[in-house]
Amino acid sequence: MTEKEATRRDFLKLAGTAAPVAAVAVATSGTEAAASAPDLSSNKMQDTEHTRAYLASARF
């Protein structure tokens, strides 16, 4: 038994540490989205760089 088999517990440990590291990498990427002027008369979601960046980061 020279090689250790990966267990479910090992996977969960790795996933638990990899997710925060990925979040920090995205948060410190250094890019800023340019915001357009919001239309205050509208109650709908506006198509701005901020909403595009959010939707792009929310994709799996």
Short mmCIF file of all heavy atoms in Angstrom, two decimals:
data_model
loop_
_atom_site.label_atom_id
_atom_site.label_comp_id
_atom_site.label_asym_id
_atom_site.label_seq_id
_atom_site.Cartn_x
_atom_site.Cartn_y
_atom_site.Cartn_z
N MET A 1 0.83 -1.17 0.00
CA MET A 1 0.00 0.00 0.00
C MET A 1 0.89 1.25 0.00
O MET A 1 0.97 1.99 0.96
CB MET A 1 -0.89 -0.03 1.24
CG MET A 1 -2.08 0.85 1.08
SD MET A 1 -3.47 0.24 2.00
CE MET A 1 -3.41 1.17 3.47
N THR A 2 1.56 1.49 -1.12
CA THR A 2 2.48 2.62 -1.21
C THR A 2 1.76 3.91 -1.58
O THR A 2 2.17 4.98 -1.19
CB THR A 2 3.57 2.33 -2.24
OG1 THR A 2 2.97 2.09 -3.49
CG2 THR A 2 4.41 1.14 -1.82
N GLU A 3 0.72 3.80 -2.38
CA GLU A 3 -0.02 4.99 -2.77
C GLU A 3 -1.29 5.12 -1.93
O GLU A 3 -1.99 4.15 -1.70
CB GLU A 3 -0.39 4.92 -4.25
CG GLU A 3 0.80 5.07 -5.17
CD GLU A 3 0.36 5.17 -6.61
OE1 GLU A 3 -0.75 5.66 -6.86
OE2 GLU A 3 1.12 4.74 -7.47
N LYS A 4 -1.57 6.31 -1.50
CA LYS A 4 -2.77 6.56 -0.71
C LYS A 4 -3.92 6.86 -1.65
O LYS A 4 -3.80 7.68 -2.55
CB LYS A 4 -2.52 7.75 0.22
CG LYS A 4 -3.70 8.09 1.09
CD LYS A 4 -3.38 9.29 1.96
CE LYS A 4 -4.61 9.70 2.70
NZ LYS A 4 -4.41 10.92 3.45
N GLU A 5 -5.02 6.19 -1.45
CA GLU A 5 -6.20 6.46 -2.26
C GLU A 5 -6.90 7.70 -1.74
O GLU A 5 -6.96 7.94 -0.54
CB GLU A 5 -7.15 5.27 -2.21
CG GLU A 5 -6.62 4.04 -2.92
CD GLU A 5 -7.66 2.95 -2.96
OE1 GLU A 5 -8.85 3.27 -3.00
OE2 GLU A 5 -7.26 1.79 -2.96
N ALA A 6 -7.43 8.49 -2.66
CA ALA A 6 -8.15 9.70 -2.27
C ALA A 6 -9.52 9.30 -1.72
O ALA A 6 -10.25 8.53 -2.32
CB ALA A 6 -8.31 10.62 -3.46
N THR A 7 -9.84 9.84 -0.57
CA THR A 7 -11.12 9.55 0.05
C THR A 7 -12.03 10.76 -0.08
O THR A 7 -11.60 11.84 -0.49
CB THR A 7 -10.94 9.21 1.54
OG1 THR A 7 -10.41 10.36 2.20
CG2 THR A 7 -10.02 8.02 1.73
N ARG A 8 -13.25 10.57 0.26
CA ARG A 8 -14.21 11.67 0.23
C ARG A 8 -13.78 12.77 1.19
O ARG A 8 -13.91 13.95 0.91
CB ARG A 8 -15.59 11.16 0.58
CG ARG A 8 -16.67 12.18 0.42
CD ARG A 8 -18.02 11.68 0.79
NE ARG A 8 -18.22 10.28 0.49
CZ ARG A 8 -19.27 9.57 0.83
NH1 ARG A 8 -20.25 10.14 1.49
NH2 ARG A 8 -19.39 8.30 0.53
N ARG A 9 -13.26 12.38 2.32
CA ARG A 9 -12.82 13.36 3.31
C ARG A 9 -11.65 14.19 2.77
O ARG A 9 -11.60 15.41 2.98
CB ARG A 9 -12.40 12.64 4.59
CG ARG A 9 -12.00 13.60 5.69
CD ARG A 9 -11.78 12.86 6.96
NE ARG A 9 -13.05 12.30 7.38
CZ ARG A 9 -13.28 11.80 8.57
NH1 ARG A 9 -12.32 11.74 9.45
NH2 ARG A 9 -14.45 11.31 8.89
N ASP A 10 -10.72 13.55 2.06
CA ASP A 10 -9.61 14.29 1.47
C ASP A 10 -10.10 15.28 0.42
O ASP A 10 -9.61 16.40 0.32
CB ASP A 10 -8.61 13.33 0.81
CG ASP A 10 -7.89 12.48 1.83
OD1 ASP A 10 -7.74 12.93 3.00
OD2 ASP A 10 -7.47 11.36 1.46
N PHE A 11 -11.09 14.87 -0.36
CA PHE A 11 -11.65 15.76 -1.36
C PHE A 11 -12.30 16.98 -0.71
O PHE A 11 -12.13 18.12 -1.15
CB PHE A 11 -12.68 15.03 -2.23
CG PHE A 11 -13.44 15.94 -3.14
CD1 PHE A 11 -12.84 16.45 -4.27
CD2 PHE A 11 -14.74 16.31 -2.85
CE1 PHE A 11 -13.52 17.31 -5.11
CE2 PHE A 11 -15.44 17.17 -3.69
CZ PHE A 11 -14.82 17.66 -4.82
N LEU A 12 -13.05 16.77 0.36
CA LEU A 12 -13.72 17.87 1.04
C LEU A 12 -12.72 18.82 1.69
O LEU A 12 -12.93 20.04 1.72
CB LEU A 12 -14.72 17.35 2.06
CG LEU A 12 -15.93 16.63 1.47
CD1 LEU A 12 -16.78 16.03 2.57
CD2 LEU A 12 -16.74 17.57 0.61
N LYS A 13 -11.61 18.29 2.19
CA LYS A 13 -10.57 19.14 2.75
C LYS A 13 -9.98 20.02 1.66
O LYS A 13 -9.77 21.23 1.86
CB LYS A 13 -9.46 18.30 3.37
CG LYS A 13 -9.79 17.68 4.68
CD LYS A 13 -8.58 16.89 5.18
CE LYS A 13 -8.90 16.04 6.36
NZ LYS A 13 -7.73 15.24 6.76
N LEU A 14 -9.71 19.44 0.51
CA LEU A 14 -9.14 20.20 -0.59
C LEU A 14 -10.13 21.24 -1.11
O LEU A 14 -9.76 22.38 -1.36
CB LEU A 14 -8.74 19.25 -1.73
CG LEU A 14 -8.15 19.91 -2.96
CD1 LEU A 14 -6.83 20.59 -2.61
CD2 LEU A 14 -7.95 18.89 -4.05
N ALA A 15 -11.38 20.86 -1.24
CA ALA A 15 -12.40 21.80 -1.72
C ALA A 15 -12.61 22.93 -0.73
O ALA A 15 -12.85 24.07 -1.13
CB ALA A 15 -13.70 21.06 -1.98
N GLY A 16 -12.51 22.64 0.54
CA GLY A 16 -12.69 23.66 1.56
C GLY A 16 -11.57 24.69 1.58
O GLY A 16 -11.77 25.84 1.96
N THR A 17 -10.38 24.30 1.16
CA THR A 17 -9.27 25.25 1.13
C THR A 17 -9.11 25.91 -0.24
O THR A 17 -8.62 27.02 -0.33
CB THR A 17 -7.95 24.56 1.49
OG1 THR A 17 -7.73 23.47 0.60
CG2 THR A 17 -7.97 24.06 2.91
N ALA A 18 -9.55 25.25 -1.30
CA ALA A 18 -9.38 25.80 -2.64
C ALA A 18 -10.38 26.92 -2.92
O ALA A 18 -10.06 27.88 -3.62
CB ALA A 18 -9.52 24.69 -3.68
N ALA A 19 -11.59 26.83 -2.40
CA ALA A 19 -12.61 27.84 -2.68
C ALA A 19 -12.23 29.22 -2.13
O ALA A 19 -12.33 30.20 -2.87
CB ALA A 19 -13.96 27.38 -2.13
N PRO A 20 -11.78 29.35 -0.89
CA PRO A 20 -11.37 30.69 -0.42
C PRO A 20 -10.17 31.24 -1.18
O PRO A 20 -10.08 32.43 -1.43
CB PRO A 20 -11.04 30.47 1.05
CG PRO A 20 -11.76 29.25 1.44
CD PRO A 20 -11.82 28.40 0.21
N VAL A 21 -9.25 30.38 -1.56
CA VAL A 21 -8.09 30.82 -2.32
C VAL A 21 -8.52 31.37 -3.68
O VAL A 21 -8.04 32.41 -4.12
CB VAL A 21 -7.07 29.68 -2.49
CG1 VAL A 21 -5.97 30.06 -3.46
CG2 VAL A 21 -6.49 29.30 -1.14
N ALA A 22 -9.47 30.72 -4.32
CA ALA A 22 -9.97 31.20 -5.61
C ALA A 22 -10.71 32.52 -5.44
O ALA A 22 -10.60 33.41 -6.29
CB ALA A 22 -10.88 30.15 -6.23
N ALA A 23 -11.46 32.67 -4.37
CA ALA A 23 -12.19 33.92 -4.13
C ALA A 23 -11.23 35.08 -3.92
O ALA A 23 -11.46 36.18 -4.40
CB ALA A 23 -13.12 33.76 -2.94
N VAL A 24 -10.15 34.85 -3.19
CA VAL A 24 -9.16 35.89 -2.97
C VAL A 24 -8.46 36.25 -4.27
O VAL A 24 -8.20 37.42 -4.56
CB VAL A 24 -8.14 35.46 -1.90
CG1 VAL A 24 -6.94 36.39 -1.85
CG2 VAL A 24 -8.81 35.39 -0.54
N ALA A 25 -8.18 35.27 -5.10
CA ALA A 25 -7.53 35.53 -6.38
C ALA A 25 -8.41 36.39 -7.28
O ALA A 25 -7.93 37.30 -7.96
CB ALA A 25 -7.19 34.22 -7.07
N VAL A 26 -9.70 36.15 -7.28
CA VAL A 26 -10.62 36.94 -8.09
C VAL A 26 -10.75 38.35 -7.51
O VAL A 26 -10.78 39.33 -8.25
CB VAL A 26 -11.99 36.25 -8.17
CG1 VAL A 26 -13.04 37.16 -8.78
CG2 VAL A 26 -11.88 34.98 -8.99
N ALA A 27 -10.82 38.46 -6.20
CA ALA A 27 -11.00 39.76 -5.56
C ALA A 27 -9.79 40.66 -5.72
O ALA A 27 -9.92 41.89 -5.76
CB ALA A 27 -11.32 39.57 -4.09
N THR A 28 -8.61 40.11 -5.82
CA THR A 28 -7.39 40.91 -5.92
C THR A 28 -6.83 40.94 -7.34
O THR A 28 -5.66 41.22 -7.53
CB THR A 28 -6.32 40.37 -4.97
OG1 THR A 28 -6.02 39.02 -5.34
CG2 THR A 28 -6.75 40.44 -3.54
N SER A 29 -7.68 40.71 -8.33
CA SER A 29 -7.19 40.68 -9.71
C SER A 29 -6.77 42.06 -10.21
O SER A 29 -6.02 42.16 -11.16
CB SER A 29 -8.26 40.08 -10.64
OG SER A 29 -9.40 40.92 -10.67
N GLY A 30 -7.28 43.14 -9.60
CA GLY A 30 -6.82 44.47 -9.95
C GLY A 30 -7.58 45.13 -11.09
O GLY A 30 -7.24 46.22 -11.49
N THR A 31 -8.57 44.49 -11.64
CA THR A 31 -9.32 45.11 -12.73
C THR A 31 -10.55 45.80 -12.16
O THR A 31 -11.17 45.31 -11.22
CB THR A 31 -9.77 44.06 -13.77
OG1 THR A 31 -10.58 43.09 -13.11
CG2 THR A 31 -8.57 43.39 -14.40
N GLU A 32 -10.88 46.93 -12.72
CA GLU A 32 -12.05 47.66 -12.29
C GLU A 32 -13.00 47.82 -13.46
O GLU A 32 -12.57 48.08 -14.58
CB GLU A 32 -11.67 49.05 -11.77
CG GLU A 32 -10.87 49.01 -10.48
CD GLU A 32 -10.61 50.39 -9.94
OE1 GLU A 32 -11.37 51.31 -10.28
OE2 GLU A 32 -9.66 50.53 -9.19
N ALA A 33 -14.27 47.67 -13.20
CA ALA A 33 -15.28 47.83 -14.23
C ALA A 33 -15.70 49.29 -14.29
O ALA A 33 -15.91 49.93 -13.27
CB ALA A 33 -16.48 46.95 -13.94
N ALA A 34 -15.83 49.82 -15.50
CA ALA A 34 -16.28 51.19 -15.67
C ALA A 34 -17.79 51.24 -15.56
O ALA A 34 -18.50 50.48 -16.21
CB ALA A 34 -15.84 51.71 -17.03
N ALA A 35 -18.28 52.10 -14.71
CA ALA A 35 -19.72 52.19 -14.48
C ALA A 35 -20.33 53.24 -15.39
O ALA A 35 -19.75 54.30 -15.62
CB ALA A 35 -20.00 52.55 -13.03
N SER A 36 -21.49 52.95 -15.90
CA SER A 36 -22.23 53.96 -16.66
C SER A 36 -23.22 54.63 -15.72
O SER A 36 -23.51 54.14 -14.64
CB SER A 36 -22.94 53.32 -17.84
OG SER A 36 -23.92 52.41 -17.38
N ALA A 37 -23.75 55.74 -16.16
CA ALA A 37 -24.70 56.47 -15.33
C ALA A 37 -26.00 55.69 -15.25
O ALA A 37 -26.55 55.26 -16.27
CB ALA A 37 -24.97 57.84 -15.93
N PRO A 38 -26.50 55.43 -14.05
CA PRO A 38 -27.74 54.67 -13.92
C PRO A 38 -28.96 55.50 -14.32
O PRO A 38 -28.98 56.72 -14.14
CB PRO A 38 -27.80 54.32 -12.44
CG PRO A 38 -26.99 55.37 -11.78
CD PRO A 38 -25.93 55.77 -12.76
N ASP A 39 -29.95 54.82 -14.86
CA ASP A 39 -31.22 55.46 -15.20
C ASP A 39 -32.12 55.35 -13.98
O ASP A 39 -32.66 54.28 -13.69
CB ASP A 39 -31.84 54.77 -16.41
CG ASP A 39 -33.14 55.39 -16.83
OD1 ASP A 39 -33.43 56.53 -16.40
OD2 ASP A 39 -33.88 54.75 -17.60
N LEU A 40 -32.28 56.43 -13.25
CA LEU A 40 -33.02 56.40 -12.00
C LEU A 40 -34.53 56.25 -12.20
O LEU A 40 -35.24 55.94 -11.25
CB LEU A 40 -32.73 57.66 -11.19
CG LEU A 40 -31.26 57.83 -10.79
CD1 LEU A 40 -31.06 59.15 -10.07
CD2 LEU A 40 -30.79 56.67 -9.95
N SER A 41 -35.02 56.45 -13.42
CA SER A 41 -36.45 56.32 -13.66
C SER A 41 -36.86 54.86 -13.89
O SER A 41 -38.04 54.55 -13.92
CB SER A 41 -36.87 57.16 -14.87
OG SER A 41 -36.22 56.67 -16.03
N SER A 42 -35.90 53.97 -14.02
CA SER A 42 -36.18 52.56 -14.30
C SER A 42 -36.03 51.73 -13.03
O SER A 42 -35.12 51.95 -12.24
CB SER A 42 -35.24 52.04 -15.37
OG SER A 42 -35.46 50.67 -15.57
N ASN A 43 -36.92 50.75 -12.87
CA ASN A 43 -36.83 49.83 -11.73
C ASN A 43 -36.20 48.51 -12.12
O ASN A 43 -36.07 47.62 -11.30
CB ASN A 43 -38.22 49.55 -11.16
CG ASN A 43 -38.76 50.76 -10.43
OD1 ASN A 43 -38.00 51.59 -9.96
ND2 ASN A 43 -40.07 50.86 -10.35
N LYS A 44 -35.81 48.36 -13.37
CA LYS A 44 -35.22 47.11 -13.85
C LYS A 44 -33.70 47.13 -13.68
O LYS A 44 -33.08 48.17 -13.52
CB LYS A 44 -35.56 46.93 -15.33
CG LYS A 44 -37.04 46.76 -15.57
CD LYS A 44 -37.32 46.55 -17.02
CE LYS A 44 -38.81 46.40 -17.26
NZ LYS A 44 -39.11 46.19 -18.66
N MET A 45 -33.12 45.93 -13.75
CA MET A 45 -31.66 45.82 -13.68
C MET A 45 -31.06 46.48 -14.91
O MET A 45 -31.50 46.26 -16.03
CB MET A 45 -31.25 44.35 -13.62
CG MET A 45 -29.76 44.19 -13.44
SD MET A 45 -29.25 42.49 -13.16
CE MET A 45 -29.37 41.84 -14.80
N GLN A 46 -30.04 47.28 -14.70
CA GLN A 46 -29.43 48.04 -15.78
C GLN A 46 -28.24 47.28 -16.37
O GLN A 46 -27.55 46.55 -15.66
CB GLN A 46 -28.97 49.38 -15.22
CG GLN A 46 -30.03 50.01 -14.37
CD GLN A 46 -30.48 51.33 -14.88
OE1 GLN A 46 -29.79 51.95 -15.65
NE2 GLN A 46 -31.63 51.75 -14.45
N ASP A 47 -28.00 47.48 -17.64
CA ASP A 47 -26.87 46.85 -18.31
C ASP A 47 -25.66 47.75 -18.19
O ASP A 47 -25.43 48.63 -18.99
CB ASP A 47 -27.22 46.60 -19.78
CG ASP A 47 -26.14 45.80 -20.48
OD1 ASP A 47 -25.32 45.15 -19.79
OD2 ASP A 47 -26.10 45.82 -21.71
N THR A 48 -24.87 47.53 -17.12
CA THR A 48 -23.66 48.30 -16.89
C THR A 48 -22.49 47.34 -16.82
O THR A 48 -22.65 46.12 -16.82
CB THR A 48 -23.76 49.10 -15.58
OG1 THR A 48 -23.87 48.17 -14.50
CG2 THR A 48 -24.95 50.05 -15.58
N GLU A 49 -21.29 47.89 -16.74
CA GLU A 49 -20.10 47.04 -16.62
C GLU A 49 -20.10 46.27 -15.30
O GLU A 49 -19.62 45.15 -15.24
CB GLU A 49 -18.84 47.90 -16.72
CG GLU A 49 -18.60 48.44 -18.11
CD GLU A 49 -18.35 47.33 -19.12
OE1 GLU A 49 -17.61 46.40 -18.81
OE2 GLU A 49 -18.92 47.42 -20.22
N HIS A 50 -20.68 46.87 -14.27
CA HIS A 50 -20.75 46.18 -12.97
C HIS A 50 -21.63 44.93 -13.06
O HIS A 50 -21.27 43.87 -12.54
CB HIS A 50 -21.29 47.10 -11.89
CG HIS A 50 -20.35 48.19 -11.52
ND1 HIS A 50 -19.23 47.98 -10.79
CD2 HIS A 50 -20.37 49.51 -11.80
CE1 HIS A 50 -18.58 49.11 -10.62
NE2 HIS A 50 -19.25 50.06 -11.23
N THR A 51 -22.80 45.07 -13.69
CA THR A 51 -23.68 43.90 -13.79
C THR A 51 -23.08 42.86 -14.71
O THR A 51 -23.22 41.67 -14.46
CB THR A 51 -25.08 44.30 -14.28
OG1 THR A 51 -24.97 44.99 -15.52
CG2 THR A 51 -25.79 45.17 -13.27
N ARG A 52 -22.40 43.28 -15.76
CA ARG A 52 -21.75 42.30 -16.65
C ARG A 52 -20.63 41.56 -15.92
O ARG A 52 -20.47 40.35 -16.07
CB ARG A 52 -21.18 43.00 -17.88
CG ARG A 52 -22.23 43.45 -18.83
CD ARG A 52 -21.63 44.07 -20.04
NE ARG A 52 -22.66 44.59 -20.92
CZ ARG A 52 -22.41 45.05 -22.13
NH1 ARG A 52 -21.19 45.06 -22.60
NH2 ARG A 52 -23.40 45.49 -22.88
N ALA A 53 -19.86 42.27 -15.12
CA ALA A 53 -18.78 41.63 -14.37
C ALA A 53 -19.34 40.66 -13.34
O ALA A 53 -18.80 39.57 -13.14
CB ALA A 53 -17.92 42.69 -13.68
N TYR A 54 -20.43 41.05 -12.68
CA TYR A 54 -21.04 40.15 -11.70
C TYR A 54 -21.56 38.89 -12.37
O TYR A 54 -21.33 37.78 -11.90
CB TYR A 54 -22.18 40.85 -10.96
CG TYR A 54 -22.98 39.89 -10.11
CD1 TYR A 54 -22.46 39.41 -8.92
CD2 TYR A 54 -24.20 39.43 -10.54
CE1 TYR A 54 -23.18 38.51 -8.16
CE2 TYR A 54 -24.92 38.52 -9.78
CZ TYR A 54 -24.40 38.07 -8.59
OH TYR A 54 -25.08 37.16 -7.85
N LEU A 55 -22.27 39.05 -13.48
CA LEU A 55 -22.83 37.88 -14.15
C LEU A 55 -21.72 36.98 -14.70
O LEU A 55 -21.84 35.76 -14.72
CB LEU A 55 -23.78 38.33 -15.27
CG LEU A 55 -25.07 39.01 -14.76
CD1 LEU A 55 -25.88 39.54 -15.94
CD2 LEU A 55 -25.89 38.07 -13.91
N ALA A 56 -20.63 37.57 -15.16
CA ALA A 56 -19.50 36.77 -15.65
C ALA A 56 -18.84 36.01 -14.51
O ALA A 56 -18.43 34.86 -14.69
CB ALA A 56 -18.49 37.67 -16.34
N SER A 57 -18.77 36.60 -13.33
CA SER A 57 -18.14 35.91 -12.21
C SER A 57 -19.06 34.88 -11.58
O SER A 57 -18.59 33.98 -10.89
CB SER A 57 -17.70 36.92 -11.14
OG SER A 57 -18.84 37.48 -10.51
N ALA A 58 -20.35 34.98 -11.81
CA ALA A 58 -21.31 34.04 -11.22
C ALA A 58 -21.48 32.77 -12.04
O ALA A 58 -22.13 31.84 -11.61
CB ALA A 58 -22.65 34.71 -11.03
N ARG A 59 -20.89 32.73 -13.23
CA ARG A 59 -21.00 31.53 -14.07
C ARG A 59 -20.15 30.40 -13.50
O ARG A 59 -19.10 30.61 -12.93
CB ARG A 59 -20.53 31.83 -15.49
CG ARG A 59 -21.47 32.75 -16.19
CD ARG A 59 -21.10 32.87 -17.65
NE ARG A 59 -21.98 33.83 -18.27
CZ ARG A 59 -21.59 34.88 -18.96
NH1 ARG A 59 -20.32 35.11 -19.13
NH2 ARG A 59 -22.46 35.70 -19.47
N PHE A 60 -20.61 29.19 -13.68
CA PHE A 60 -19.88 28.03 -13.18
C PHE A 60 -19.09 27.39 -14.27
O PHE A 60 -19.38 27.09 -15.28
CB PHE A 60 -20.85 27.02 -12.57
CG PHE A 60 -21.46 27.53 -11.30
CD1 PHE A 60 -22.76 27.97 -11.28
CD2 PHE A 60 -20.72 27.58 -10.14
CE1 PHE A 60 -23.32 28.44 -10.12
CE2 PHE A 60 -21.28 28.03 -8.98
CZ PHE A 60 -22.58 28.47 -8.97
#
